[in-house]
Amino acid sequence: MKKKIRKESVTKNRPADDQKNENKKPKKGLRGWISRKIGISMGLRLSVSYIKMVTDVFLSCLILMIIIYVLFNMFIFVYDAKLIADELRKTEKLNESIYNLDIQRGTAIALEDMSGVSLINTFGDYLMPHEKIPVWFSQKDGSIYIMTKNYLFRQDGNYRIIVFRDITKKLMEMGVLFVSAVIMGGISLLTIFFKGISTTKNSLKPLAEMTKMTGEIRAQNLNLRLNVTNAKDELKELVITFNSMMDRIETAYNKQNQFVSDASHELRTPISVIQGYARMLERWGKEDPEVLQESIEAIRNEAENMKELVEKLLFIARNDKDTLTLTKENFSLSEMMEELVKETRMVDGRHVINSSIEQGIKVFGDRNLIKQAMRIFVDNAQKYTEEGSSIDISLRRDENKAIMVVKDQGCGIPEKDLSGIFDRFYRTDESRDRNRGGHGLGLSIAKIIVLRHGGKIHVKSKQGESSEFSVILNINLSDKNDLS
C-alpha cells in the first residue's frame, strides 16, 4: 500500500506539461507515418503541398468535364425530343408515326391528352414527374432512361408527348471515363509525389548540409564553409550569405582572441614589475631608503600604467557594446586646436612645434573626445620624432570640411603595416619599444572617436622620413540627423 501511495503522489507532483506529453501517443498506421515524415522532412512537406495543389486542379477539371459532358448530352436529348415533337406535329397519321419512330430511332414515346389520359404508350409503366419538371429519369429492365416532356399542338387537338431515351450506355461510358481519369490522375499524383521528393531533396541539399555543418561548428573549426556548386538561385544566395557570415564570425573571433591575448600580455608586464619590487622590498628593501623609494616610484608608475590601460579597454568595450555616450555641442574647433598646440609646447621642449590654425571653424561634437583623438596623434608624433625635429599641427577649411593635420619627422610607417595601424594592440616592428610607452590602443581609440563623429582619417607615410595623419570632420554637423 505504501508503494502505491508513493507512486500516485509522484504522479500527482509531475508537471502538467510532462503528463500532457505522456498522453500524446504517436499515431499508428499510414497516417501516423506520413505525419511523422512530414514533421521532419521539408522535402516531403513541399511534395505533399504540390500533391494538394495538383489534386485540387485535377478534381476541379474532372468535375468541370463531367458537368460539361452531362449538360451536352442533356441538350442533345432535349433537342432530339423537340425534333420528334415537330415531326409529329406535321404528320397526318399520328399513331403510325409514333410506332415508326419507336422502331427507327429506338426511342419510346408516350402520348397523353392535356388531362393526363394515356393515348399511346410504347414504353410501358412510368412515374410521371411534377408538371413543372421537363426532364426526369425512369428505370426499366435494368436500364436507365431519360424522360423529356414536350407539348404537341395539332389541329385535331393538343397533346403532351413524353420521349424516353436509353442512357445506360452513356452512363457506362461516363463511369469508364471517370474511373480512367481517376486511375491516370492517381498515377500522375504518385509520380509527382515521388519525383517531387527527389527534386526538393536535391534542391534543399544545401540546407541539409548547412544544418549538419552548423551543428558541427565549434571554436576550433570556424573555417568550415558550405559548398556553393550544388546550390541554385535563392539557395545559392543563402549559401553565399552563410559563408560570408562565417567569414565575419571567424574574423571577429580571431580578433577577440588576439585582443584577449594582447591585453593579457600588456597587463602581465606591469604586474611582473610590481611583484618583482614587492619581493625586493620583502627581502632587503625595507632597510635601504634608496631601494624603498625606487620601489615605490616603480610600483606607482606601473599602477598608473595599468590604470591607463584599463581605462582604454573600458572605452573600447563601451564602444563595442554601443553604450559610449557623446556629449555633443557647437564649439570652436579653431580654439580647441590652439589649446592643443599651446599645451604641447608647454610639455614638449624636445621638438619644434609648428602650427597653422585657420580661425572661425566651428563643428558640432564632443569637444573633449575630439581633443583626446588629436592628442593621441600628437603623442605618437612626439614618440617617433627625433629630438630637435619639427612637428606640424594645422587646421584648415576645405568647403564644408574641417581638416586637422598632424605631421611628424619620424621613422615613418612601412607600407605593409598601414592597413593595420588602427587595429587594437597593433605595433609596427620599428615601434616595438616599451621605452616609448603606450599599449597599441591609442590609434584604435582615435579611430572610434572620429568615426562616431561621422569623420574620416587619412594617413600618408614614407618609411624613414615622415608620417601625416589627417582628420576630416563636417563643419555643418549641427544637423540633428547626424547625431549619434
Side-chain angles (χ1 to χ4, degrees):
M1 289 297 290
K2 290 182 180 180
K3 291 182 179 180
K4 291 182 179 180
I5 293 172
R6 185 177 180 182
K7 187 175 181 181
E8 290 176 0
S9 63
V10 170
T11 304
K12 289 180 180 179
N13 292 331
R14 285 181 184 176
D17 293 341
D18 292 346
Q19 294 186 19
K20 288 181 181 179
N21 294 333
E22 199 174 73
N23 293 331
K24 289 182 180 179
K25 296 180 179 179
K27 296 179 180 180
K28 297 180 179 180
L30 179 61
R31 185 177 179 183
W33 178 83
I34 293 176
S35 64
R36 290 192 299 273
K37 296 294 286 185
I38 291 176
I40 61 174
S41 172
M42 181 179 290
L44 189 58
R45 188 159 59 247
L46 289 175
S47 186
V48 170
S49 300
Y50 299 153
I51 290 295
K52 287 182 179 179
M53 290 188 292
V54 174
T55 302
D56 292 339
V57 174
F58 172 76
L59 290 178
S60 300
C61 293
L62 184 61
I63 293 173
L64 183 62
M65 289 176 59
I66 292 174
I67 292 174
I68 294 174
Y69 182 83
V70 171
L71 291 177
F72 176 76
N73 282 279
M74 290 285 290
F75 174 78
I76 295 297
F77 295 151
V78 172
Y79 183 74
D80 188 50
K82 185 177 182 302
L83 291 178
I84 291 174
D86 291 340
E87 186 176 344
L88 293 176
R89 186 180 297 113
K90 297 176 182 178
T91 185
E92 295 181 356
K93 299 178 180 180
L94 184 60
N95 294 349
E96 184 177 344
S97 297
I98 290 175
Y99 286 111
N100 288 336
L101 288 172
D102 187 5
I103 296 172
Q104 294 173 3
R105 297 193 181 186
T107 302
I109 300 174
L111 184 67
E112 300 176 350
D113 59 16
M114 299 304 292
S115 62
V117 177
S118 179
L119 302 177
I120 300 175
N121 186 355
T122 63
F123 179 76
D125 296 335
Y126 62 91
L127 293 176
M128 189 64 192
H130 192 272
E131 184 71 21
K132 295 182 179 180
I133 299 177
V135 179
W136 197 247
F137 297 92
S138 182
Q139 185 176 4
K140 178 184 178 183
D141 299 333
S143 300
I144 298 176
Y145 292 80
I146 184 172
M147 304 164 53
T148 306
K149 182 170 61 177
N150 209 333
Y151 292 95
L152 182 63
F153 299 103
R154 293 169 52 89
Q155 292 181 354
D156 56 354
N158 298 329
Y159 305 96
R160 184 164 53 201
I161 182 173
I162 302 171
V163 179
F164 298 86
R165 176 66 64 87
D166 189 354
I167 60 172
T168 305
K169 290 183 179 180
K170 292 289 183 182
L171 293 177
M172 292 178 64
E173 290 175 0
M174 189 184 302
V176 172
L177 180 64
F178 179 79
V179 172
S180 301
V182 170
I183 293 174
M184 293 177 64
I187 294 174
S188 300
L189 291 177
L190 289 175
T191 303
I192 294 172
F193 178 75
F194 290 107
K195 186 67 176 178
I197 292 178
S198 175
T199 303
T200 53
K201 185 177 181 180
N202 293 332
S203 301
L204 298 175
K205 188 176 181 180
L207 287 180
E209 293 179 358
M210 188 182 301
T211 303
K212 181 180 179 181
M213 182 175 293
T214 51
E216 296 175 350
I217 290 177
R218 299 292 184 272
Q220 295 76 17
N221 59 354
L222 286 175
N223 59 339
L224 291 178
R225 297 295 181 271
L226 290 175
N227 186 5
V228 188
T229 55
N230 295 330
K232 297 180 180 179
D233 303 329
E234 288 81 1
L235 286 178
K236 185 174 183 178
E237 295 180 5
L238 178 62
V239 171
I240 294 174
T241 304
F242 178 82
N243 288 341
S244 176
M245 179 193 69
M246 289 303 302
D247 291 338
R248 295 192 298 271
I249 291 176
E250 183 181 10
T251 302
Y253 183 80
N254 292 335
K255 286 185 176 180
Q256 184 71 16
N257 281 346
Q258 187 65 36
F259 180 80
V260 173
S261 175
D262 292 339
S264 302
H265 176 75
E266 292 292 332
L267 287 171
R268 187 182 298 115
T269 301
I271 291 175
S272 299
V273 172
I274 292 174
Q275 287 178 338
Y277 276 103
R279 293 192 188 97
M280 186 172 64
L281 287 174
E282 184 180 7
R283 292 180 180 178
W284 59 79
K286 298 177 183 179
E287 308 299 334
D288 190 336
E290 293 183 1
V291 174
L292 179 61
Q293 185 62 32
E294 179 187 351
S295 301
I296 292 174
E297 290 180 0
I299 291 173
R300 183 189 297 115
N301 291 336
E302 294 301 331
E304 289 294 331
N305 188 25
M306 290 175 62
K307 179 183 177 182
E308 181 185 355
L309 174 60
V310 171
E311 288 177 351
K312 289 180 179 179
L313 292 175
L314 289 175
F315 184 91
I316 294 174
R318 284 194 294 268
N319 177 73
D320 291 343
K321 292 182 179 179
D322 202 22
T323 58
L324 181 64
T325 57
L326 278 66
T327 306
K328 291 187 175 182
E329 60 182 353
N330 285 303
F331 70 94
S332 174
L333 190 62
S334 300
E335 292 180 1
M336 187 211 77
M337 291 296 289
E338 286 180 345
E339 289 180 10
L340 180 64
V341 171
K342 183 178 179 181
E343 293 168 359
T344 304
R345 286 172 177 166
M346 289 177 59
V347 299
D348 185 3
R350 300 183 305 110
H351 302 100
V352 178
I353 308 299
N354 300 321
S355 64
S356 175
I357 309 299
E358 183 176 340
Q359 298 300 314
I361 299 178
K362 293 184 178 182
V363 296
F364 184 78
D366 191 316
R367 189 180 192 275
N368 294 331
L369 288 182
I370 293 177
K371 187 176 181 180
Q372 179 184 349
M374 296 309 300
R375 171 60 66 189
I376 290 171
F377 294 123
V378 173
D379 287 345
N380 276 355
Q382 292 173 317
K383 291 175 186 175
Y384 302 112
T385 300
E386 296 295 331
E387 185 174 352
S389 299
S390 63
I391 298 174
D392 300 328
I393 303 174
S394 64
L395 169 65
R396 72 177 188 274
R397 181 198 302 267
D398 185 5
E399 296 181 352
N400 64 336
K401 305 289 184 182
I403 304 176
M404 299 172 283
V405 181
V406 177
K407 183 177 181 181
D408 62 38
Q409 303 296 326
C411 58
I413 304 171
E415 185 177 354
K416 63 183 179 63
D417 293 322
L418 282 175
S419 60
I421 59 175
F422 292 101
D423 293 342
R424 300 163 188 180
F425 296 107
Y426 187 87
R427 290 193 182 95
T428 62
D429 293 337
E430 288 78 4
S431 67
R432 295 185 183 276
D433 183 3
R434 287 193 57 85
N435 293 329
R436 288 176 173 175
H439 307 94
L441 293 174
L443 292 179
S444 298
I445 293 175
K447 179 182 178 181
I448 290 172
I449 294 172
V450 173
L451 292 181
R452 290 294 292 253
H453 284 83
K456 298 179 181 178
I457 303 176
H458 291 170
V459 182
K460 296 180 182 179
S461 184
K462 190 172 183 181
Q463 191 173 6
E465 293 186 10
S466 64
S467 297
E468 180 180 306
F469 288 82
S470 301
V471 176
I472 305 172
L473 297 178
N474 292 323
I475 292 179
N476 57 344
L477 282 181
S478 57
D479 185 357
K480 299 301 181 182
N481 292 330
D482 293 334
L483 297 183
S484 60

